[in-house]
Amino acid sequence: GVLSEGHGRALLLADGHDARRQLAASAAAEGWSVRVLEARAREAHGGTRSKPSRPAVSTDHSAAAETLGDRWSRGLGRDVRVRPKGEGFVVEIRLEDVGQAERLTDRLGL
């Protein structure tokens, strides 16, 4: 549910299933727009980038972010997104209202 139909079409620009799967994982983990994914898929196909973009994040770093996001989501019972940023990660917890934020804060003992 993270990638759109436009992302799917952009993935078709890359050669091979493995390249598409890696690009999809990175796009989902890092929140790439369709345009960024198109540029990366063209590059994977042997073309050139149309615009400068962020440096590529290693597949291991992206996979770690996905695993961490799953663990945080299970542990907190909330939708948690973890994405690579440099050598570290950004953790985003989605809460619907102040009450939910207060209950989570209490649960964490903060």
Side-chain angles (χ1 to χ4, degrees), residues 6-7 10-11 13 23 26-27 30-44 48-56:
H7 287 97
L11 286 168
L13 296 170
L23 284 167
S26 294
E30 298 177 49
W32 292 351
S33 68
V34 172
R35 291 194 197 288
V36 169
L37 181 54
E38 286 173 346
R40 300 279 173 97
R42 280 189 186 99
E43 181 179 271
T48 58
R49 288 188 182 170
S50 57
K51 296 180 186 176
S53 60
R54 294 183 261 171

Side-chain angles (χ1 to χ4, degrees), residues 67-88:
T67 300
L68 289 167
D70 291 343
R71 290 177 64 191
W72 275 81
S73 293
R74 281 193 311 274
L76 296 177
R78 299 257 89 23
D79 182 23
V80 178
R81 180 177 177 207
V82 177
R83 56 189 163 86
K85 182 167 185 176
E87 294 296 315

